[in-house]
Amino acid sequence: MTATLTAAPGVPTTLCVLPSRHANRVRALAHRAGLDCAPGPGGPGTVTVVVADDAEQALRGLRVPRPLLLVCDTVGRAGLLGALRAGVVVLRAADLTEESLAAAVRRAGAPHPSIPYPELSHLLTSGPARGEPGPREDRPPALTARQFSVLRLMAEGHGNAGIARLLHCSEHTVKNVVYEIMARLQARNRAHAVARAVRHGLI
């Protein structure tokens, strides 16, 4: 089943819920949220939804198209970090409502998926995930004031144009700073950079 909504003006997004034990609940919420539903697989711009018990386990060996939204009963620190690194949006089943589902799909369909403050807070206040080195084993990299500012805005989900407006600089400057941040943090992409920054306690 697929459900179509508008993630941003003029940008159609398709929600494709994969078959699973609790997939019907997600489908029902999609209907109640007023999302247009159509049979058949989604095409380009499809947000794949996987309903699973545990986020960390679901991410292991998961081979489904991105963008991806995970709806999970259990979402621990390791699961959140894994999702950030993979550019995947995670929604706790306990928080699943019509509004939260629509918002999560919009985040997943965005060019640079963001992480809401409750999840960031959980990452910051909990200890290292299983198998991760503690703070003494992995020193945080030094960042400049501008890099910190850009990094925080990246974590809030702003794109380069939005960051440029907020910091009163050019998009070219922001793009260069983003590359510097990813190099300093040894990150593969923006989501991975935010994940590593959270792990280091930088944001």
Side-chain angles (χ1 to χ4, degrees), residues 6-22:
T6 300
V11 180
T13 302
T14 301
L15 174 63
C16 178
V17 185
L18 297 186
S20 66
R21 187 159 51 99
H22 299 296

Side-chain angles (χ1 to χ4, degrees), residues 79-189:
L80 281 175
L81 280 173
L84 271 173
R85 289 171 180 146
V88 172
V89 172
V90 178
L91 178 61
R92 289 179 175 82
D95 300 328
L96 188 59
T97 64
E98 298 164 24
E99 294 78 13
S100 66
L101 176 61
V105 170
R106 291 187 178 97
R107 287 205 318 276
H112 307 291
S114 61
I115 178 170
Y117 279 112
E119 279 78 2
L120 274 176
S121 176
H122 175 69
L123 287 173
L124 288 167
T125 56
S126 58
R130 184 174 62 252
E132 285 190 304
R136 292 183 182 178
E137 300 175 49
D138 195 3
R139 289 186 178 181
L143 298 179
T144 66
R146 170 153 288 192
Q147 288 167 348
F148 270 119
S149 298
V150 171
L151 180 60
R152 289 180 183 277
L153 291 171
M154 283 170 54
E156 292 174 11
H158 295 284
N160 289 354
I163 294 173
R165 285 194 299 272
L166 290 168
L167 297 183
H168 307 290
C169 61
S170 70
E171 275 191 68
H172 181 72
T173 297
V174 173
K175 185 177 180 180
N176 287 338
V177 174
V178 170
Y179 283 135
E180 291 168 3
I181 291 170
M182 289 195 291
R184 292 278 183 99
L185 295 175
Q186 299 180 353
R188 297 185 298 273
N189 51 46

